[in-house]
Amino acid sequence: MGTEKKLDTDFLATMNRMNLSGRLLYNKKAYYTSCYLYGYVLETGLKHILQKYGTHDGMPYTIGDLKGFQHNLAALIREAKQVNVFPEEFEVDFDDDYSYICTNVAGYPRWDPRYRYGEHPMWESADWCYHYAVEAGRFAKFINNYREEPE
């Protein structure tokens, strides 16, 4: 121990890893943990967007800034909405397009990793997890396919 090389932080690779792992668990009917991982798809994808295009106090975001958001999707969404680099046809509506993960549908809470110990009332549901799978997959596809550079 002690001489291992530490790899660079890679939010995009992490997003894809979480999406794949969520899908594998979903296919094995491990819905609760799948939902848990699908939320990280949005978290790490948003951190990738902020790292690539965002600024904080006029400076590019640092890895420390982005890790400082911890697991606060609402704050990441607020910051990502400020980035403003996406053409109108690529605009993301988190309240509508990602309502299961990002808002509270039917009074159930949005994604939050604090529910990892079994407290979320719907993550065990195949139907609920299906919605998470669709939203996370759509978001990952959007992030992976968006390669335009801002003007």
Side-chain angles (χ1 to χ4, degrees):
M1 283 210 234
T3 60
E4 297 89 15
K5 182 179 179 195
K6 186 176 177 185
L7 299 176
D8 291 335
T9 300
D10 188 335
F11 294 116
L12 185 61
T14 301
M15 179 195 73
N16 288 316
R17 195 169 37 254
M18 295 295 179
N19 193 41
L20 174 62
S21 296
R23 195 167 49 244
L24 291 170
L25 288 167
Y26 176 81
N27 289 337
K28 292 289 186 181
K29 299 180 177 16
Y31 301 125
Y32 203 94
T33 306
S34 181
C35 284
Y36 177 70
L37 294 179
Y38 280 139
Y40 282 113
V41 172
L42 271 73
E43 178 181 326
T44 54
L46 288 165
K47 287 178 178 180
H48 168 74
I49 293 297
L50 291 174
Q51 182 181 32
K52 188 165 182 173
Y53 302 111
T55 59
H56 175 66
D57 294 332
M59 300 295 294
Y61 279 95
T62 66
I63 297 295
D65 292 334
L66 296 168
K67 286 183 176 182
F69 281 102
Q70 296 174 340
H71 308 299
N72 189 338
L73 266 186
L76 285 164
I77 290 167
R78 266 193 313 278
E79 292 297 310
K81 286 180 178 181
Q82 304 298 318
V83 171
N84 218 8
V85 296
F86 301 117
E88 192 173 306
E89 64 269 20
F90 288 108
E91 211 161 285
V92 177
D93 186 338
F94 291 97
D95 293 334
D96 289 335
D97 297 336
Y98 305 98
S99 59
Y100 279 79
I101 295 176
C102 294
T103 63
N104 59 0
V105 174
Y108 294 108
R110 66 178 175 255
W111 178 84
D112 191 309
R114 71 179 174 193
Y115 298 125
R116 65 188 168 270
Y117 302 113
E119 300 94 338
H120 197 286
M122 296 301 287
W123 283 6
E124 199 66 57
S125 160
D127 179 62
W128 199 266
C129 190
Y130 168 78
H131 290 289
Y132 268 49
V134 168
E135 290 177 6
R138 182 184 322 125
F139 187 75
K141 184 176 181 181
F142 165 74
I143 298 298
N144 283 312
N145 289 337
Y146 188 79
R147 298 287 185 229
E148 297 295 317
E149 292 298 322
E151 295 178 8

